[in-house]
Amino acid sequence: MPERIKIGYVGLGRYLPENILTNARLEQIVDTSDEWIVQRTGIRTRRIMGPGESLESMAVAAAKSAIENAGIDARRISVVRIGVNTHMRFPSLSSLVQEALGIPDASAADISAGCSSFIFSVEEIFNRLNFEWMAFGKKSYGLAVGTEGMSIVTDYSDRSTCVLFGDGAGAAVIGPVASGEILATYTRTQGKYAGLLELDKFMHVPLTDQREMRFQRLEVTNYPYLRMEGPKVFAVAVRTMVSDVRMVIERYNRANGQQLTEADIDYVYPHQANLRIVRAVGEALKLTPDKVYSDGVKNYGNTSAASIPIGYIDNLGKHRGNTEVDVAFGAGFASGAILRKVAE
Ligand code: ACO
């Protein structure tokens, strides 16, 4: 069996729509105020897809930028995973992106794990690349994308949700590295909280007429929008993310005989749902605000699966040698964390 190799990010990219949705504009749409939004969420602007932009175009643009940044031929990518919740159709977004990038035989599939979908994508690629190396001695590359068109599923007459979300995409090419390796990953799902954050209910509606094979779907709901119990989500989110950071550190220590602690973490990218959640996670981990990424939530709102890889680009080249953690939670409740080094 070959020696283990280091696998990490070799290239990063993102795409943000041109169109900026400000708090002032939301004041014209629903009964809200800039003051309320900033105080309760920290969000000042979000990007919203406009004509000519789509989930596919954003994912392709972010991926192209990551591949260019990695300096590799796209045909060397053997696995593509796209974290996305708002595609809601087939064929998978991954198959469309794979074709657009010209990487015909890669294993390409979407992952739907709420706002943690990018973390789940990275974990799957990391495990697969490790397996390909250990089992076949093959050094391969993977492409993880987080992309989301939250504006598609947002009800712009519901002030309790429409101020929160934005669109965008981020991507990472993952492969063999000299430094800047992924140290450990951890993911989990707590289905007991699934009802706190949902999109529509048509999946739950049973066949009403077995003979005619008719569905009741349109009579039951015509509300294809995200709904959530915000304050309950808030409480579970903080608890879950803090515990997942501890779990990923513990997994790394147990697998490698190390004694890393929270004090060794230089920087954290928490899912950018709400500035108060981001701050609460930082405080629980005893990290000063400069060690906790928060520009994403202020500038782009909650971009769900895209929020962490979008954030990487804001710090590109600034954190050499850091030990960092990405941590996310979302619908499901699916959550998880990645512990990694940044390249020297
Ligand atoms: N403008 C003004 N007032 C508002 C607005 C608004 N946009 N939205 C709600 N309010 C009002 C409410 O009606 C309520 O009024 P009332 O007291 O008269 O009833 C009051 O503000 C307080 O409402 P709360 O919901 O208790 O406010 P809270 O401080 O909890 O903030 C928020 C709400 C921002 C949604 C918060 O709970 C939150 O961020 N929760 C987490 C959400 C989240 O992270 N979701 C993850 C999604 S992840 C995914 O997978 C998509």
Side-chain angles (χ1 to χ4, degrees):
M1 195 180 276
E3 286 278 298
R4 285 185 71 168
I5 52 166
K6 293 179 175 179
I7 291 172
Y9 295 164
V10 292
L12 298 166
R14 78 174 176 196
Y15 179 85
L16 290 160
E18 308 252 312
N19 183 23
I20 298 175
L21 177 60
T22 61
N23 291 349
R25 177 75 186 104
L26 282 163
E27 282 176 355
Q28 297 168 341
I29 301 171
V30 285
D31 180 14
T32 190
S33 66
D34 174 59
E35 194 193 354
W36 191 96
I37 300 172
V38 171
Q39 194 193 47
R40 301 289 181 122
T41 73
I43 301 168
R44 292 178 185 277
T45 53
R46 330 101 191 100
R47 303 295 181 93
I48 303 293
M49 289 185 289
E53 291 172 320
S54 65
L55 272 177
E56 186 183 344
S57 76
M58 293 194 300
V60 169
K64 276 189 175 160
S65 164
I67 292 166
E68 203 181 299
N69 181 239
I72 64 155
D73 184 333
R75 285 170 299 186
R76 295 184 66 188
I77 292 169
S78 70
V79 50
V80 178
R81 290 290 178 269
I82 299 190
V84 60
N85 301 281
T86 45
H87 180 58
M88 302 180 298
R89 51 173 278 237
F90 55 76
S92 70
L93 185 58
S94 298
S95 59
L96 305 176
V97 170
Q98 178 201 36
E99 178 61 13
L101 295 172
I103 37 175
D105 289 324
S107 152
D110 296 350
I111 291 189
S112 165
C115 302
S116 312
S117 302
F118 179 77
I119 303 265
F120 277 66
S121 300
V122 171
E123 176 174 78
E124 217 179 273
I125 291 172
F126 178 62
N127 288 341
R128 187 175 167 122
L129 296 186
N130 265 315
F131 178 77
E132 285 185 6
W133 169 246
M134 299 303 273
F136 310 123
K138 188 174 160 221
K139 285 185 180 172
S140 328
Y141 289 90
L143 172 68
V145 180
T147 186
E148 217 72 90
M150 295 306 289
S151 59
I152 302 168
V153 297
T154 298
D155 178 356
Y156 285 96
S157 67
D158 174 7
R159 68 175 183 174
S160 70
T161 54
C162 76
V163 300
L164 300 173
F165 297 102
D167 302 337
V173 174
I174 300 172
V177 289
S179 68
E181 69 274 25
I182 294 170
L183 299 173
T185 64
Y186 172 68
T187 54
R188 64 167 162 159
T189 302
Q190 305 173 79
K192 63 183 172 183
Y193 298 124
L196 296 184
L197 178 52
E198 290 183 305
L199 174 61
D200 205 2
K201 295 220 185 281
F202 67 78
M203 290 88 86
H204 303 197
V205 178
L207 267 180
T208 47
D209 185 337
Q210 294 282 353
R211 212 163 28 90
E212 298 286 334
M213 294 298 284
R214 282 215 187 96
F215 290 83
Q216 196 184 337
R217 150 182 165 175
L218 290 176
E219 291 153 35
V220 168
T221 178
N222 56 6
Y223 189 78
Y225 300 121
L226 171 155
R227 52 182 128 207
M228 68 175 172
E229 296 188 41
K232 286 187 188 160
V233 171
F234 193 112
V236 182
V238 175
R239 235 178 20 240
T240 298
M241 286 203 283
V242 171
S243 136
D244 285 7
V245 171
R246 293 180 177 144
M247 277 304 297
V248 80
I249 294 173
E250 192 186 315
R251 273 169 75 89
Y252 170 69
N253 286 342
R254 278 174 49 194
N256 297 280
Q258 297 288 327
Q259 293 193 324
L260 212 69
T261 70
E262 285 156 50
D264 297 310
I265 303 302
D266 298 307
Y267 198 83
V268 173
Y269 289 88
H271 169 48
Q272 303 288 289
N274 177 316
L275 189 57
R276 289 188 294 147
I277 294 180
V278 166
R279 288 197 174 138
V281 170
E283 278 163 24
L285 296 171
K286 299 192 174 62
L287 291 166
T288 51
D290 59 310
K291 293 185 165 188
V292 183
Y293 178 67
S294 62
D295 284 349
V297 71
K298 293 176 198 163
N299 299 328
Y300 318 120
N302 181 348
T303 53
S304 185
S307 87
I308 288 173
I310 282 175
Y312 294 153
I313 303 298
D314 281 338
N315 291 320
L316 205 57
K318 292 184 202 159
H319 289 179
R320 296 192 183 284
N322 262 5
T323 302
E324 302 193 336
V325 177
D326 310 308
V327 60
F329 79 95
F333 275 6
S335 66
I338 302 166
L339 175 66
R340 52 179 179 76
K341 301 289 286 185
V342 180
E344 298 289 347

